[in-house]
Amino acid sequence: MEKVFEIYIKTTPERLWEAITDPELRSKYNFGVRVESDWTQGSSYTSRHPRADGPLAEGENVEVDPPRRLVQTFHALWSDDVKVEGTSRVTWEIEPVADSCRLRVIHDELREGANDELFGGWPMILSGLKTLLETGEELTTPGSLMYAQQPA
């Protein structure tokens, strides 16, 4: 199964690449989750949130071609329901269009009928990315509120 998300963002390819790969910027639109890696081909990455007990996702950077293309394996770890889904793939494609960029995120190698938690957050993430790069503001979404409350 394959899910494709496409959005246009008024930014440069370099700034968009930075927002995808910089842990601090990424956390601002990715539900507070930081993605740590050295962003070289074949290297690993880990997604973590300060309030989570362990990593939320991990994978490998299969193809790294800044600022045009990033292909990663993706193994979700935030619940037993998603862990059993195994590894899928996420491809980020950046294409300049005049003073903007077209960003396509392709989440594929998903089993037919895969748990929609694996791909259901993409519209919120990409909307947050667009808002951050175009306005400097953070977008409030159900995903961004997930870890926002202090533990009891």
Side-chain angles (χ1 to χ4, degrees):
M1 186 168 68
E2 174 182 89
K3 299 290 182 178
V4 179
F5 305 91
E6 184 174 287
I7 192 166
Y8 288 81
I9 304 172
K10 189 169 181 131
T11 191
T12 64
E14 293 77 15
R15 183 75 174 133
L16 182 49
W17 182 268
E18 179 187 16
I20 293 166
T21 59
D22 179 86
E24 188 60 34
L25 279 174
R26 180 87 171 250
S27 72
K28 292 178 185 292
Y29 65 86
N30 196 47
F31 312 146
V33 176
R34 296 173 61 88
V35 180
E36 303 281 350
S37 179
D38 69 8
W39 305 108
T40 59
Q41 189 163 318
S43 67
S44 64
Y45 73 88
T46 306
S47 299
R48 297 180 185 278
H49 190 283
R51 292 203 186 109
D53 291 335
L56 297 175
E58 61 188 12
E60 178 185 334
N61 298 308
V62 178
E63 186 181 333
V64 182
D65 182 16
R68 290 184 290 279
R69 185 173 162 88
L70 176 64
V71 181
Q72 302 174 291
T73 62
F74 177 77
H75 188 196
L77 304 171
W78 60 81
S79 73
D80 290 339
D81 290 340
V82 296
K83 283 180 190 175
V84 299
E85 294 289 348
T87 301
S88 55
R89 180 176 63 185
V90 175
T91 302
W92 302 76
E93 296 177 342
I94 300 168
E95 178 186 337
V97 179
D99 63 349
S100 299
C101 290
R102 179 180 82 155
L103 174 63
R104 285 186 66 200
V105 174
I106 303 154
H107 194 160
D108 63 0
E109 298 184 1
L110 294 156
R111 73 170 180 82
E112 200 60 43
N115 188 320
D116 65 2
E117 282 186 39
L118 292 177
F119 52 84
W122 284 116
M124 288 183 282
I125 292 167
L126 297 178
S127 296
L129 171 59
K130 178 178 175 66
T131 298
L132 180 67
L133 288 177
E134 291 182 347
T135 71
E137 304 274 326
E138 293 183 38
L139 182 65
T140 301
T141 64
S144 69
L145 297 172
M146 192 177 327
Y147 293 104
Q149 298 178 3
Q150 296 293 334

